[in-house]
Amino acid sequence: RHCSSATMGLLAGCTLTYFPLPGRGEPIRLALALGGVSYTDDIVQFKDWPERKPSTPWGSMPVLTLSDGTSIAQARAIMRFVGKETGLYPTDSLLAARCDEVMDTLEDILTGLMNQGSGLPQAEKEAKRLEAIQSGTPFKILTKLDQYVAEHGSSGFAVGDSLTIADLMMLCSLCTVTSGMLDGILPTALDGFANIQKCLKVVANQPTVKETFLAKKDTMPKSFMAFYD
Ligand SMILES: N[C@@H](CCC(=O)N[C@@H](CS)C(=O)NCC(=O)O)C(=O)O
């Protein structure tokens, strides 16, 4: 991994702006930590977001701001940018496309579940979400993702034989699914996906990932801590 390029290059002194949540920001925080980048973790409290929103590129977070003031938004665009700078995004075009496939699939799963039952009364929303994760489209996509990582990754990594940004997003998106933040989805919802579980365990136990999570164990959802004693 080319940590020196990250420390000396474009990412030096950057700022990551996001909510006080793992969500879409945590995989970027992990990639920066793994790249040895010292960055400012700009945490926007929910009450302050309406004021900050209009000044962001797309009215959403995460946003990465470089030391010269350049802003980049859209979580997966930031992931690829940081991944290229830190050696966590494959230089091989096909492997890079495999990472993109996994990340786009994770986004489909997450938004698919979040949109499920939106606008319905609480009990109906929860029933819709439960059905989605047990037999609906998100379940079908998860079943395919479980096969995909077995086919395209090895040693527990989602793609290829080493850690990539796809692994970091696997861990953070899927622990968000089981975090309790999505009403109606149980902490055990993903237990049946053996290849996915293996990947989550391997990624969570990368030393820098473990150290990052344990440092904030009091505020991280339980699902992110399930890999440690
Ligand atoms: N496609 C965008 C979605 C970003 C997004 O929806 N971010 C949420 C937080 S995870 C947000 O900013 N919500 C507040 C809002 O939309 O006002 C991305 O991947 O970055």
Side-chain angles (χ1 to χ4, degrees):
R1 215 166 280 148
H2 310 291
C3 294
S4 57
S5 71
T7 337
M8 311 293 291
L10 288 170
L11 291 173
C14 67
T15 297
L16 194 260
T17 302
Y18 192 66
F19 288 116
L21 293 172
R24 288 185 171 96
E26 198 66 25
I28 303 166
R29 293 185 183 120
L30 290 176
L32 290 168
L34 282 153
V37 178
S38 78
Y39 69 100
T40 303
D41 199 9
D42 174 28
I43 294 177
V44 178
Q45 300 300 328
F46 297 101
K47 67 172 174 51
D48 299 326
W49 172 236
E51 193 190 319
R52 302 269 310 255
K53 184 177 168 89
S55 67
T56 62
W58 306 101
S60 64
M61 295 193 287
V63 177
L64 182 77
T65 308
L66 304 183
S67 59
D68 71 355
T70 306
S71 290
I72 305 162
Q74 290 291 351
R76 287 162 291 154
I78 300 171
M79 287 290 279
R80 283 187 281 272
F81 180 76
V82 173
K84 285 173 192 166
E85 291 293 310
T86 56
L88 290 165
Y89 189 56
T91 48
D92 177 272
S93 302
L94 183 57
L95 277 181
R98 297 285 177 227
C99 284
D100 291 345
E101 264 191 298
V102 168
M103 296 198 298
D104 287 1
T105 298
L106 290 164
E107 182 67 20
D108 287 351
I109 292 167
L110 203 59
T111 50
L113 288 171
M114 287 194 302
N115 295 342
Q116 211 42 251
S118 103
L120 293 180
Q122 186 68 14
E124 283 172 51
K125 179 169 101 179
E126 290 188 16
K128 285 257 182 223
R129 292 234 177 111
L130 194 63
E131 189 199 339
I133 196 83
Q134 287 180 343
S135 60
T137 301
F139 173 81
K140 288 176 187 148
I141 299 176
L142 279 159
T143 305
K144 287 179 189 293
L145 182 61
D146 197 64
Q147 291 160 0
Y148 191 96
V149 301
E151 190 177 333
H152 295 287
S154 64
S155 313
F157 299 112
V159 170
D161 59 4
S162 64
L163 189 74
T164 66
I165 50 172
D167 294 304
L168 304 179
M169 193 167 161
M170 285 275 288
L171 181 63
C172 298
S173 297
L174 296 178
C175 289
T176 296
V177 167
T178 53
S179 67
M181 290 158 82
L182 293 174
D183 299 342
I185 298 182
L186 300 173
T188 53
L190 304 179
D191 286 2
F193 300 105
N195 300 314
I196 287 175
Q197 288 302 333
K198 183 178 176 194
C199 177
L200 302 186
K201 194 172 173 184
V202 164
V203 179
N205 280 293
Q206 299 292 305
T208 303
V209 174
K210 184 173 179 178
E211 191 184 308
T212 304
F213 284 2
L214 288 179
K216 34 190 178 184
K217 65 175 184 306
D218 298 336
T219 54
M220 288 295 262
K222 263 195 201 146
S223 54
F224 287 79
M225 293 296 135
F227 312 96
Y228 316 120
D229 301 326

